Amino acid sequence: MANSPSGDSMLDRLVRILDSFDAQNPTLTVNSLAHRADVPQATAYRLVDDLVAHGLLARDADRQVRLGVRLWELANRSAPTFDLRRAALPFMEDVNQLVGHNTQLALLHEDEVLVIERLSRPGAVVNQANVAGRMPVHRTSMGLALLAFSPAATLEGFLERHGETMLTTHPQLRRELAEIRRNGYATLDGFIDTESTGAAVPILDSRGHALAVLAVVVPRDAGILPAAVMALRTAARGISRALGA
Amino acid sequence: MANSPSGDSMLDRLVRILDSFDAQNPTLTVNSLAHRADVPQATAYRLVDDLVAHGLLARDADRQVRLGVRLWELANRSAPTFDLRRAALPFMEDVNQLVGHNTQLALLHEDEVLVIERLSRPGAVVNQANVAGRMPVHRTSMGLALLAFSPAATLEGFLERHGETMLTTHPQLRRELAEIRRNGYATLDGFIDTESTGAAVPILDSRGHALAVLAVVVPRDAGILPAAVMALRTAARGISRALGA
Protein backbone atom coordinates (compact mmCIF):
# COMPACT_ATOMS: atom_id res chain seq x y z
CA MET A 1 0.00 0.00 0.00
CA ALA A 2 1.42 3.38 -0.99
CA ASN A 3 2.11 5.64 1.94
CA SER A 4 2.45 9.41 1.92
CA PRO A 5 5.62 10.96 3.40
CA SER A 6 3.77 11.06 6.75
CA GLY A 7 3.22 7.29 6.68
CA ASP A 8 -0.49 7.77 6.08
CA SER A 9 -1.81 5.02 3.81
CA MET A 10 -4.29 5.51 1.00
CA LEU A 11 -6.86 3.54 3.02
CA ASP A 12 -6.27 5.69 6.12
CA ARG A 13 -7.04 8.79 4.08
CA LEU A 14 -10.00 7.19 2.33
CA VAL A 15 -11.62 6.17 5.64
CA ARG A 16 -11.02 9.64 7.14
CA ILE A 17 -12.58 11.23 4.06
CA LEU A 18 -15.69 9.03 4.22
CA ASP A 19 -15.80 9.59 7.99
CA SER A 20 -15.96 13.37 7.46
CA PHE A 21 -19.56 13.19 6.27
CA ASP A 22 -22.41 12.71 8.71
CA ALA A 23 -26.12 13.44 9.03
CA GLN A 24 -25.36 17.09 9.87
CA ASN A 25 -22.78 17.42 7.09
CA PRO A 26 -24.03 15.40 4.10
CA THR A 27 -22.24 17.77 1.67
CA LEU A 28 -18.84 19.46 2.04
CA THR A 29 -16.56 21.62 -0.08
CA VAL A 30 -13.27 19.95 -0.93
CA ASN A 31 -11.49 22.47 1.29
CA SER A 32 -13.61 21.71 4.33
CA LEU A 33 -13.35 18.00 3.54
CA ALA A 34 -9.53 18.30 3.47
CA HIS A 35 -9.65 20.07 6.82
CA ARG A 36 -12.02 17.58 8.47
CA ALA A 37 -10.13 14.57 7.09
CA ASP A 38 -6.71 16.05 7.94
CA VAL A 39 -5.47 15.60 4.36
CA PRO A 40 -3.39 18.21 2.51
CA GLN A 41 -5.58 20.24 0.14
CA ALA A 42 -3.75 19.24 -3.03
CA THR A 43 -4.03 15.58 -2.01
CA ALA A 44 -7.72 16.05 -1.20
CA TYR A 45 -8.46 17.52 -4.65
CA ARG A 46 -6.70 14.63 -6.39
CA LEU A 47 -8.29 12.00 -4.14
CA VAL A 48 -11.79 13.49 -4.51
CA ASP A 49 -11.39 13.39 -8.32
CA ASP A 50 -10.47 9.71 -8.11
CA LEU A 51 -13.30 8.90 -5.70
CA VAL A 52 -15.85 10.72 -7.88
CA ALA A 53 -14.55 8.83 -10.95
CA HIS A 54 -15.20 5.56 -9.06
CA GLY A 55 -18.64 6.69 -7.85
CA LEU A 56 -17.69 6.51 -4.17
CA LEU A 57 -18.21 10.29 -3.92
CA ALA A 58 -20.39 12.55 -6.07
CA ARG A 59 -20.32 16.26 -6.91
CA ASP A 60 -23.43 18.39 -6.55
CA ALA A 61 -24.34 21.09 -9.06
CA ASP A 62 -22.66 23.64 -6.77
CA ARG A 63 -19.41 21.57 -6.70
CA GLN A 64 -19.98 20.43 -3.13
CA VAL A 65 -19.06 16.80 -2.53
CA ARG A 66 -21.26 14.08 -1.01
CA LEU A 67 -21.18 10.30 -0.69
CA GLY A 68 -21.86 8.54 -3.96
CA VAL A 69 -24.80 6.28 -4.72
CA ARG A 70 -22.29 3.60 -5.78
CA LEU A 71 -20.77 3.56 -2.28
CA TRP A 72 -24.23 3.14 -0.77
CA GLU A 73 -24.93 0.31 -3.20
CA LEU A 74 -21.68 -1.55 -2.51
CA ALA A 75 -22.11 -1.26 1.26
CA ASN A 76 -25.76 -2.32 1.30
CA ARG A 77 -25.90 -5.09 -1.27
CA SER A 78 -24.62 -7.65 1.21
CA ALA A 79 -24.73 -5.55 4.36
CA PRO A 80 -23.59 -7.37 7.52
CA THR A 81 -26.79 -6.08 9.14
CA PHE A 82 -29.05 -7.35 6.35
CA ASP A 83 -30.48 -10.50 7.98
CA LEU A 84 -31.05 -8.76 11.30
CA ARG A 85 -32.78 -5.81 9.67
CA ARG A 86 -34.96 -7.98 7.45
CA ALA A 87 -36.09 -10.10 10.41
CA ALA A 88 -36.69 -7.07 12.64
CA LEU A 89 -38.43 -4.63 10.30
CA PRO A 90 -41.97 -6.13 10.38
CA PHE A 91 -41.83 -6.33 14.20
CA MET A 92 -40.50 -2.78 14.37
CA GLU A 93 -43.48 -1.59 12.32
CA ASP A 94 -45.82 -3.35 14.76
CA VAL A 95 -44.20 -1.69 17.79
CA ASN A 96 -44.05 1.67 16.05
CA GLN A 97 -47.76 1.59 15.30
CA LEU A 98 -48.96 0.05 18.57
CA VAL A 99 -46.77 2.10 20.90
CA GLY A 100 -46.91 5.17 18.67
CA HIS A 101 -43.35 6.37 19.28
CA ASN A 102 -39.95 6.16 17.61
CA THR A 103 -38.71 2.59 17.44
CA GLN A 104 -35.10 1.65 16.86
CA LEU A 105 -32.83 -1.29 16.29
CA ALA A 106 -29.18 -1.14 17.36
CA LEU A 107 -26.16 -3.28 18.10
CA LEU A 108 -22.95 -3.03 20.08
CA HIS A 109 -20.00 -2.19 17.82
CA GLU A 110 -16.56 -1.12 18.97
CA ASP A 111 -17.84 -0.21 22.45
CA GLU A 112 -20.61 2.01 21.15
CA VAL A 113 -24.27 1.65 20.27
CA LEU A 114 -24.64 1.64 16.47
CA VAL A 115 -28.19 2.39 15.28
CA ILE A 116 -29.17 0.05 12.42
CA GLU A 117 -32.74 1.16 11.78
CA ARG A 118 -35.16 3.72 13.10
CA LEU A 119 -38.87 4.16 12.43
CA SER A 120 -40.31 7.55 13.32
CA ARG A 121 -43.78 8.71 14.21
CA PRO A 122 -45.16 12.17 13.48
CA GLY A 123 -45.23 14.15 16.73
CA ALA A 124 -42.94 11.74 18.59
CA VAL A 125 -40.68 13.07 21.34
CA VAL A 126 -37.21 14.29 20.40
CA ASN A 127 -34.84 11.45 19.70
CA GLN A 128 -31.06 11.68 19.31
CA ALA A 129 -30.67 8.43 17.38
CA ASN A 130 -29.96 8.46 13.64
CA VAL A 131 -29.58 5.48 11.32
CA ALA A 132 -25.85 4.56 11.24
CA GLY A 133 -25.33 6.96 14.11
CA ARG A 134 -23.48 6.04 17.30
CA MET A 135 -24.53 6.59 20.89
CA PRO A 136 -22.72 6.05 24.20
CA VAL A 137 -23.28 2.65 25.81
CA HIS A 138 -23.65 3.70 29.44
CA ARG A 139 -25.96 6.65 28.79
CA THR A 140 -28.65 4.91 26.76
CA SER A 141 -31.14 2.18 27.62
CA MET A 142 -30.01 0.49 24.38
CA GLY A 143 -26.40 0.37 25.51
CA LEU A 144 -27.23 -0.89 28.99
CA ALA A 145 -29.44 -3.67 27.62
CA LEU A 146 -26.72 -4.68 25.12
CA LEU A 147 -24.05 -4.68 27.83
CA ALA A 148 -26.19 -6.57 30.35
CA PHE A 149 -26.73 -9.39 27.87
CA SER A 150 -23.17 -9.48 26.47
CA PRO A 151 -20.84 -12.44 26.96
CA ALA A 152 -18.82 -11.99 30.17
CA ALA A 153 -15.61 -11.30 28.22
CA THR A 154 -17.26 -8.45 26.30
CA LEU A 155 -18.51 -6.83 29.50
CA GLU A 156 -15.14 -7.16 31.26
CA GLY A 157 -13.32 -5.76 28.22
CA PHE A 158 -15.70 -2.83 28.05
CA LEU A 159 -15.27 -2.01 31.76
CA GLU A 160 -11.50 -2.23 31.42
CA ARG A 161 -11.40 0.12 28.44
CA HIS A 162 -14.03 2.59 29.63
CA GLY A 163 -14.11 2.41 33.41
CA GLU A 164 -12.53 5.80 33.94
CA THR A 165 -14.93 7.71 31.72
CA MET A 166 -18.07 6.19 33.22
CA LEU A 167 -20.45 8.23 35.29
CA THR A 168 -21.09 5.40 37.70
CA THR A 169 -18.62 3.27 39.60
CA HIS A 170 -18.03 -0.31 38.46
CA PRO A 171 -19.85 -1.91 41.40
CA GLN A 172 -22.85 0.34 40.83
CA LEU A 173 -22.91 -0.39 37.09
CA ARG A 174 -22.61 -4.13 37.77
CA ARG A 175 -25.61 -3.93 40.11
CA GLU A 176 -27.59 -2.07 37.45
CA LEU A 177 -26.68 -4.62 34.77
CA ALA A 178 -27.65 -7.50 37.08
CA GLU A 179 -31.03 -5.87 37.60
CA ILE A 180 -31.48 -5.42 33.82
CA ARG A 181 -30.70 -9.14 33.36
CA ARG A 182 -33.30 -10.05 36.00
CA ASN A 183 -35.93 -7.74 34.49
CA GLY A 184 -35.18 -8.57 30.86
CA TYR A 185 -35.15 -4.91 29.82
CA ALA A 186 -33.49 -1.55 30.49
CA THR A 187 -35.06 1.87 30.90
CA LEU A 188 -33.24 5.19 31.15
CA ASP A 189 -34.30 8.82 31.13
CA GLY A 190 -32.92 10.75 28.15
CA PHE A 191 -29.53 12.25 28.98
CA ILE A 192 -29.88 15.24 26.67
CA ASP A 193 -33.65 15.51 26.41
CA THR A 194 -35.37 15.91 29.72
CA GLU A 195 -38.75 14.96 28.30
CA SER A 196 -38.07 11.45 27.09
CA THR A 197 -37.33 8.00 28.45
CA GLY A 198 -35.84 5.11 26.54
CA ALA A 199 -36.77 1.47 26.98
CA ALA A 200 -34.71 -1.31 25.43
CA VAL A 201 -35.03 -5.09 25.20
CA PRO A 202 -32.28 -7.42 23.93
CA ILE A 203 -32.81 -9.66 20.90
CA LEU A 204 -31.20 -12.84 22.17
CA ASP A 205 -29.38 -15.65 20.43
CA SER A 206 -29.73 -19.28 21.51
CA ARG A 207 -27.08 -18.81 24.23
CA GLY A 208 -28.95 -15.87 25.74
CA HIS A 209 -26.55 -13.21 24.44
CA ALA A 210 -27.76 -10.01 22.79
CA LEU A 211 -27.48 -10.02 19.00
CA ALA A 212 -29.02 -6.56 18.97
CA VAL A 213 -31.47 -4.42 20.90
CA LEU A 214 -34.97 -3.18 20.15
CA ALA A 215 -35.93 0.13 21.77
CA VAL A 216 -38.51 2.89 21.92
CA VAL A 217 -38.26 6.48 23.09
CA VAL A 218 -41.44 7.58 24.87
CA PRO A 219 -42.50 10.74 26.71
CA ARG A 220 -41.39 10.71 30.35
CA ASP A 221 -44.11 10.34 32.99
CA ALA A 222 -46.80 9.47 30.45
CA GLY A 223 -47.51 6.09 32.02
CA ILE A 224 -46.93 4.32 28.72
CA LEU A 225 -43.62 2.71 29.75
CA PRO A 226 -44.86 -0.65 31.13
CA ALA A 227 -46.99 -1.31 28.06
CA ALA A 228 -44.18 -0.20 25.72
CA VAL A 229 -41.76 -2.59 27.45
CA MET A 230 -44.23 -5.44 27.00
CA ALA A 231 -44.58 -4.66 23.28
CA LEU A 232 -40.77 -4.63 22.96
CA ARG A 233 -40.37 -7.91 24.83
CA THR A 234 -42.97 -9.61 22.65
CA ALA A 235 -41.48 -8.24 19.43
CA ALA A 236 -37.90 -9.07 20.48
CA ARG A 237 -38.88 -12.72 20.99
CA GLY A 238 -40.51 -12.76 17.56
CA ILE A 239 -37.32 -11.37 15.98
CA SER A 240 -35.17 -13.97 17.76
CA ARG A 241 -37.44 -16.69 16.41
CA ALA A 242 -37.38 -15.20 12.89
CA LEU A 243 -33.58 -15.24 13.04
CA GLY A 244 -33.67 -18.92 13.99
CA ALA A 245 -32.11 -18.26 17.38
CA MET B 1 -2.34 7.04 -6.44
CA ALA B 2 -0.15 3.96 -6.41
CA ASN B 3 -0.64 1.74 -9.40
CA SER B 4 0.26 -1.90 -9.75
CA PRO B 5 2.45 -2.94 -12.70
CA SER B 6 -0.79 -3.49 -14.67
CA GLY B 7 -1.82 0.15 -14.15
CA ASP B 8 -4.58 -0.91 -11.80
CA SER B 9 -5.02 1.68 -9.04
CA MET B 10 -5.61 0.91 -5.39
CA LEU B 11 -9.14 2.34 -5.75
CA ASP B 12 -9.85 0.17 -8.81
CA ARG B 13 -8.96 -2.91 -6.80
CA LEU B 14 -10.87 -1.73 -3.73
CA VAL B 15 -14.07 -1.18 -5.73
CA ARG B 16 -13.74 -4.55 -7.47
CA ILE B 17 -13.25 -6.25 -4.09
CA LEU B 18 -16.34 -4.60 -2.57
CA ASP B 19 -18.23 -5.34 -5.79
CA SER B 20 -17.47 -9.06 -5.42
CA PHE B 21 -19.97 -9.42 -2.57
CA ASP B 22 -23.69 -9.52 -3.20
CA ALA B 23 -26.87 -10.88 -1.65
CA GLN B 24 -26.06 -14.39 -2.93
CA ASN B 25 -22.41 -14.16 -1.83
CA PRO B 26 -22.29 -12.25 1.46
CA THR B 27 -19.16 -14.18 2.54
CA LEU B 28 -16.19 -15.30 0.44
CA THR B 29 -12.84 -16.96 1.01
CA VAL B 30 -9.87 -14.73 0.15
CA ASN B 31 -9.07 -17.02 -2.78
CA SER B 32 -12.53 -16.76 -4.30
CA LEU B 33 -12.51 -13.03 -3.57
CA ALA B 34 -9.20 -12.67 -5.45
CA HIS B 35 -10.71 -14.58 -8.37
CA ARG B 36 -13.96 -12.60 -8.48
CA ALA B 37 -12.16 -9.26 -8.11
CA ASP B 38 -9.43 -10.20 -10.63
CA VAL B 39 -6.67 -9.38 -8.15
CA PRO B 40 -3.52 -11.54 -7.72
CA GLN B 41 -3.87 -13.79 -4.67
CA ALA B 42 -0.87 -12.36 -2.80
CA THR B 43 -2.23 -8.86 -3.37
CA ALA B 44 -5.68 -9.96 -2.24
CA TYR B 45 -4.34 -11.38 1.04
CA ARG B 46 -2.46 -8.16 1.79
CA LEU B 47 -5.37 -5.94 0.78
CA VAL B 48 -7.90 -7.96 2.79
CA ASP B 49 -5.65 -7.63 5.86
CA ASP B 50 -5.58 -3.86 5.38
CA LEU B 51 -9.33 -3.63 4.78
CA VAL B 52 -10.08 -5.76 7.85
CA ALA B 53 -7.76 -3.53 9.93
CA HIS B 54 -9.79 -0.51 8.76
CA GLY B 55 -13.13 -2.24 9.43
CA LEU B 56 -14.20 -2.10 5.78
CA LEU B 57 -14.15 -5.89 5.66
CA ALA B 58 -14.55 -8.37 8.52
CA ARG B 59 -13.45 -11.98 9.05
CA ASP B 60 -15.91 -14.60 10.22
CA ALA B 61 -14.98 -17.30 12.71
CA ASP B 62 -14.28 -19.65 9.76
CA ARG B 63 -11.91 -17.05 8.15
CA GLN B 64 -14.39 -16.19 5.42
CA VAL B 65 -14.50 -12.51 4.60
CA ARG B 66 -17.59 -10.26 4.53
CA LEU B 67 -18.30 -6.54 4.38
CA GLY B 68 -17.50 -4.74 7.62
CA VAL B 69 -19.99 -2.98 9.86
CA ARG B 70 -17.76 0.11 9.63
CA LEU B 71 -18.26 0.26 5.83
CA TRP B 72 -22.03 0.02 6.31
CA GLU B 73 -21.86 2.80 8.90
CA LEU B 74 -19.75 5.14 6.74
CA ALA B 75 -21.97 4.62 3.69
CA ASN B 76 -25.26 5.05 5.56
CA ARG B 77 -24.53 7.88 7.97
CA SER B 78 -25.10 10.50 5.30
CA ALA B 79 -26.45 8.29 2.54
CA PRO B 80 -27.38 10.12 -0.66
CA THR B 81 -30.69 8.25 -0.47
CA PHE B 82 -31.37 9.24 3.14
CA ASP B 83 -33.95 12.02 2.62
CA LEU B 84 -35.82 10.05 -0.02
CA ARG B 85 -35.96 6.94 2.12
CA ARG B 86 -37.04 8.82 5.24
CA ALA B 87 -39.85 10.57 3.37
CA ALA B 88 -40.98 7.40 1.60
CA LEU B 89 -40.85 4.80 4.38
CA PRO B 90 -44.13 5.67 6.20
CA PHE B 91 -46.00 5.72 2.86
CA MET B 92 -44.37 2.45 1.86
CA GLU B 93 -45.64 0.87 5.07
CA ASP B 94 -49.15 2.11 4.27
CA VAL B 95 -49.06 0.63 0.76
CA ASN B 96 -47.49 -2.60 2.01
CA GLN B 97 -50.26 -3.10 4.57
CA LEU B 98 -53.18 -1.91 2.44
CA VAL B 99 -52.18 -3.69 -0.79
CA GLY B 100 -50.66 -6.63 1.06
CA HIS B 101 -47.77 -7.23 -1.33
CA ASN B 102 -44.09 -6.40 -1.62
CA THR B 103 -43.54 -2.68 -1.94
CA GLN B 104 -40.35 -1.12 -3.23
CA LEU B 105 -38.62 2.19 -3.77
CA ALA B 106 -36.06 2.61 -6.55
CA LEU B 107 -34.23 5.18 -8.63
CA LEU B 108 -32.48 5.39 -11.98
CA HIS B 109 -28.71 5.14 -11.57
CA GLU B 110 -26.22 4.59 -14.38
CA ASP B 111 -28.94 3.35 -16.75
CA GLU B 112 -30.23 0.75 -14.33
CA VAL B 113 -32.94 0.53 -11.69
CA LEU B 114 -31.31 0.66 -8.24
CA VAL B 115 -33.58 -0.62 -5.45
CA ILE B 116 -33.35 1.63 -2.36
CA GLU B 117 -35.85 -0.03 -0.06
CA ARG B 118 -38.16 -2.99 -0.07
CA LEU B 119 -40.87 -4.03 2.36
CA SER B 120 -41.98 -7.64 2.16
CA ARG B 121 -45.17 -9.40 3.11
CA PRO B 122 -45.39 -12.99 4.27
CA GLY B 123 -46.76 -15.09 1.42
CA ALA B 124 -46.20 -12.43 -1.24
CA VAL B 125 -45.48 -13.47 -4.81
CA VAL B 126 -41.86 -14.04 -5.83
CA ASN B 127 -39.97 -10.82 -6.31
CA GLN B 128 -36.55 -10.41 -7.91
CA ALA B 129 -35.75 -7.07 -6.28
CA ASN B 130 -33.25 -6.83 -3.42
CA VAL B 131 -32.24 -3.72 -1.48
CA ALA B 132 -29.21 -2.20 -3.26
CA GLY B 133 -29.82 -4.61 -6.13
CA ARG B 134 -30.02 -3.53 -9.76
CA MET B 135 -32.65 -4.40 -12.33
CA PRO B 136 -32.91 -3.71 -16.08
CA VAL B 137 -34.76 -0.52 -17.02
CA HIS B 138 -36.76 -1.76 -19.98
CA ARG B 139 -37.88 -5.03 -18.39
CA THR B 140 -39.40 -3.68 -15.18
CA SER B 141 -42.39 -1.44 -14.53
CA MET B 142 -40.08 0.56 -12.24
CA GLY B 143 -37.62 1.22 -15.05
CA LEU B 144 -40.31 2.18 -17.55
CA ALA B 145 -41.94 4.62 -15.12
CA LEU B 146 -38.53 6.17 -14.29
CA LEU B 147 -37.64 6.48 -17.98
CA ALA B 148 -41.04 7.89 -18.97
CA PHE B 149 -40.72 10.69 -16.43
CA SER B 150 -37.02 11.43 -17.04
CA PRO B 151 -35.78 14.72 -18.50
CA ALA B 152 -35.64 14.47 -22.31
CA ALA B 153 -31.82 14.40 -22.31
CA THR B 154 -31.77 11.41 -19.93
CA LEU B 155 -34.18 9.46 -22.13
CA GLU B 156 -32.30 10.26 -25.35
CA GLY B 157 -28.97 9.33 -23.72
CA PHE B 158 -30.42 6.05 -22.51
CA LEU B 159 -31.81 5.16 -25.96
CA GLU B 160 -28.49 6.02 -27.59
CA ARG B 161 -26.50 3.84 -25.18
CA HIS B 162 -28.91 0.91 -24.99
CA GLY B 163 -30.93 0.93 -28.18
CA GLU B 164 -29.31 -2.17 -29.61
CA THR B 165 -29.89 -4.35 -26.59
CA MET B 166 -33.56 -3.42 -26.20
CA LEU B 167 -36.30 -5.92 -26.82
CA THR B 168 -38.55 -3.35 -28.45
CA THR B 169 -37.78 -0.92 -31.23
CA HIS B 170 -37.27 2.73 -30.38
CA PRO B 171 -40.58 3.90 -31.91
CA GLN B 172 -42.47 1.23 -30.01
CA LEU B 173 -40.72 2.07 -26.72
CA ARG B 174 -41.41 5.79 -27.28
CA ARG B 175 -45.11 4.99 -27.75
CA GLU B 176 -45.13 2.93 -24.57
CA LEU B 177 -43.42 5.70 -22.61
CA ALA B 178 -45.88 8.28 -23.96
CA GLU B 179 -48.74 6.09 -22.75
CA ILE B 180 -47.11 5.74 -19.31
CA ARG B 181 -46.82 9.54 -19.13
CA ARG B 182 -50.51 9.91 -20.02
CA ASN B 183 -51.57 7.26 -17.49
CA GLY B 184 -49.23 8.36 -14.72
CA TYR B 185 -48.08 4.80 -14.03
CA ALA B 186 -46.47 1.73 -15.62
CA THR B 187 -47.42 -1.91 -15.34
CA LEU B 188 -45.49 -4.88 -16.65
CA ASP B 189 -45.78 -8.64 -16.25
CA GLY B 190 -42.78 -10.19 -14.50
CA PHE B 191 -40.08 -11.14 -17.02
CA ILE B 192 -38.73 -14.06 -15.00
CA ASP B 193 -41.72 -14.92 -12.85
CA THR B 194 -44.79 -15.76 -14.84
CA GLU B 195 -47.07 -15.32 -11.84
CA SER B 196 -46.45 -11.69 -10.99
CA THR B 197 -47.10 -8.24 -12.37
CA GLY B 198 -45.33 -5.06 -11.37
CA ALA B 199 -46.94 -1.64 -11.07
CA ALA B 200 -44.86 1.52 -10.65
CA VAL B 201 -45.65 5.20 -10.11
CA PRO B 202 -43.06 8.00 -10.30
CA ILE B 203 -42.34 10.23 -7.33
CA LEU B 204 -42.16 13.59 -9.08
CA ASP B 205 -40.18 16.75 -8.37
CA SER B 206 -41.63 20.22 -8.95
CA ARG B 207 -40.70 20.06 -12.66
CA GLY B 208 -42.57 16.80 -13.14
CA HIS B 209 -39.45 14.63 -13.37
CA ALA B 210 -39.10 11.35 -11.51
CA LEU B 211 -36.93 11.57 -8.38
CA ALA B 212 -37.64 7.91 -7.76
CA VAL B 213 -40.34 5.30 -8.27
CA LEU B 214 -42.72 3.53 -5.89
CA ALA B 215 -43.80 0.04 -6.95
CA VAL B 216 -45.61 -3.12 -5.91
CA VAL B 217 -45.39 -6.66 -7.22
CA VAL B 218 -48.82 -8.34 -7.17
CA PRO B 219 -50.13 -11.72 -8.36
CA ARG B 220 -51.06 -11.64 -12.06
CA ASP B 221 -54.76 -11.87 -12.91
CA ALA B 222 -55.89 -11.36 -9.33
CA GLY B 223 -57.83 -8.20 -10.17
CA ILE B 224 -55.95 -6.22 -7.54
CA LEU B 225 -53.94 -4.13 -10.02
CA PRO B 226 -56.25 -1.07 -10.41
CA ALA B 227 -56.59 -0.66 -6.64
CA ALA B 228 -52.84 -1.17 -6.14
CA VAL B 229 -52.08 1.50 -8.75
CA MET B 230 -54.40 3.93 -6.97
CA ALA B 231 -52.68 3.25 -3.63
CA LEU B 232 -49.28 3.86 -5.28
CA ARG B 233 -50.44 7.10 -6.93
CA THR B 234 -51.81 8.42 -3.65
CA ALA B 235 -48.68 7.45 -1.72
CA ALA B 236 -46.33 8.84 -4.41
CA ARG B 237 -48.02 12.24 -4.16
CA GLY B 238 -47.64 12.14 -0.40
CA ILE B 239 -43.94 11.37 -0.72
CA SER B 240 -43.45 14.22 -3.22
CA ARG B 241 -45.11 16.57 -0.76
CA ALA B 242 -43.04 15.27 2.16
CA LEU B 243 -39.92 15.95 0.08
CA GLY B 244 -41.06 19.52 -0.50
CA ALA B 245 -41.35 18.97 -4.26
Side-chain angles (χ1 to χ4, degrees):
Chain A
M1 187 97 16
N3 285 351
S4 72
S6 61
D8 214 16
S9 83
M10 161 69 199
L11 267 185
D12 291 332
R13 296 190 295 264
L14 171 65
V15 168
R16 288 208 307 276
I17 281 182
L18 299 181
D19 201 17
S20 299
F21 298 91
D22 56 34
Q24 284 72 44
N25 299 278
T27 63
L28 294 167
T29 63
V30 178
N31 283 350
S32 61
L33 182 56
H35 179 72
R36 288 172 72 101
D38 193 20
V39 170
Q41 286 209 359
T43 308
Y45 274 92
R46 206 172 57 239
L47 199 46
V48 165
D49 281 345
D50 273 349
L51 290 167
V52 168
H54 285 83
L56 301 184
L57 295 181
R59 273 202 187 83
D60 281 355
D62 60 359
R63 307 281 299 165
Q64 295 235 35
V65 179
R66 59 162 61 235
L67 296 185
V69 172
R70 179 84 172 128
L71 175 68
W72 179 89
E73 179 191 6
L74 291 171
N76 285 279
R77 213 167 47 185
S78 71
T81 58
F82 184 82
D83 291 340
L84 171 64
R85 188 178 168 283
R86 181 172 56 180
L89 202 50
F91 292 95
M92 291 183 69
E93 290 168 20
D94 296 340
V95 171
N96 193 36
Q97 295 196 0
L98 293 172
V99 177
H101 289 283
N102 291 348
T103 306
Q104 48 219 29
L105 178 72
L107 44 77
L108 193 61
H109 186 66
E110 292 172 355
D111 292 352
E112 291 185 292
V113 176
L114 179 63
V115 179
I116 300 301
E117 184 57 278
R118 172 187 161 178
L119 298 181
S120 300
R121 295 292 294 186
V125 288
V126 178
N127 181 351
Q128 302 295 327
N130 286 310
V131 171
R134 287 173 179 262
M135 305 190 79
V137 165
H138 62 290
R139 287 183 153 194
T140 59
S141 61
M142 295 189 288
L144 292 176
L146 285 165
L147 207 54
F149 288 90
S150 287
T154 304
L155 171 59
E156 296 307 320
F158 180 87
L159 290 176
E160 204 168 292
R161 287 186 294 275
H162 297 278
E164 291 179 11
T165 62
M166 310 280 288
L167 292 180
T168 56
T169 61
H170 280 196
Q172 191 184 333
L173 181 65
R174 285 183 195 278
R175 278 193 301 275
E176 284 174 22
L177 295 177
E179 195 190 334
I180 291 167
R181 275 192 293 273
R182 276 194 304 276
N183 292 340
Y185 64 90
T187 64
L188 198 67
D189 288 344
F191 71 96
I192 295 175
D193 305 303
T194 56
E195 295 175 4
S196 67
T197 293
V201 171
I203 297 164
L204 301 176
D205 66 14
S206 56
R207 293 165 305 170
H209 296 146
L211 295 164
V213 70
L214 188 68
V216 290
V217 180
V218 299
R220 208 174 292 182
D221 307 321
I224 197 183
L225 202 56
V229 165
M230 197 52 90
L232 288 175
R233 296 181 74 176
T234 310
R237 285 168 182 242
I239 298 169
S240 285
R241 231 175 3 255
L243 283 167
Chain B
M1 188 100 14
N3 286 352
S4 72
S6 59
D8 213 16
S9 83
M10 159 72 198
L11 268 185
D12 291 332
R13 296 190 295 263
L14 171 65
V15 169
R16 289 207 308 276
I17 281 181
L18 299 182
D19 202 18
S20 299
F21 298 90
D22 57 34
Q24 284 71 45
N25 300 279
T27 62
L28 294 168
T29 63
V30 178
N31 283 351
S32 61
L33 183 56
H35 179 72
R36 289 172 71 102
D38 193 20
V39 170
Q41 286 208 1
T43 308
Y45 274 92
R46 207 173 54 237
L47 199 46
V48 165
D49 279 346
D50 273 349
L51 290 167
V52 168
H54 285 83
L56 301 184
L57 295 181
R59 273 202 188 83
D60 281 355
D62 59 0
R63 308 282 299 166
Q64 295 237 35
V65 179
R66 58 163 62 236
L67 296 185
V69 173
R70 179 83 171 130
L71 174 69
W72 179 88
E73 178 190 5
L74 291 171
N76 284 279
R77 213 167 47 183
S78 71
T81 58
F82 184 83
D83 291 342
L84 170 65
R85 188 177 168 282
R86 183 173 55 180
L89 201 49
F91 293 95
M92 292 183 69
E93 289 169 21
D94 296 341
V95 170
N96 193 37
Q97 296 197 1
L98 293 172
V99 177
H101 289 282
N102 291 349
T103 307
Q104 47 217 31
L105 178 72
L107 44 77
L108 194 62
H109 186 65
E110 292 172 355
D111 291 352
E112 291 184 293
V113 177
L114 178 64
V115 179
I116 301 301
E117 184 57 275
R118 171 186 164 180
L119 299 181
S120 300
R121 295 291 293 187
V125 287
V126 178
N127 181 352
Q128 301 296 327
N130 285 311
V131 171
R134 287 173 178 263
M135 306 189 79
V137 165
H138 62 290
R139 288 184 151 194
T140 58
S141 61
M142 295 189 287
L144 293 176
L146 284 165
L147 206 55
F149 288 90
S150 286
T154 304
L155 171 59
E156 295 308 322
F158 180 87
L159 291 176
E160 203 167 293
R161 287 186 294 275
H162 297 278
E164 291 178 11
T165 62
M166 309 280 289
L167 292 180
T168 56
T169 62
H170 279 196
Q172 190 185 333
L173 180 66
R174 285 182 194 281
R175 278 194 301 275
E176 283 174 21
L177 295 177
E179 194 190 336
I180 291 168
R181 275 192 293 274
R182 276 193 305 277
N183 291 340
Y185 64 89
T187 63
L188 197 67
D189 288 344
F191 70 97
I192 295 176
D193 305 302
T194 55
E195 294 176 3
S196 67
T197 293
V201 171
I203 297 165
L204 300 175
D205 66 15
S206 57
R207 294 166 304 172
H209 296 145
L211 294 164
V213 70
L214 188 68
V216 288
V217 179
V218 298
R220 208 175 291 181
D221 308 322
I224 197 183
L225 202 57
V229 166
M230 195 53 88
L232 288 175
R233 296 181 74 177
T234 309
R237 285 168 183 241
I239 299 170
S240 286
R241 233 180 357 258
L243 284 167

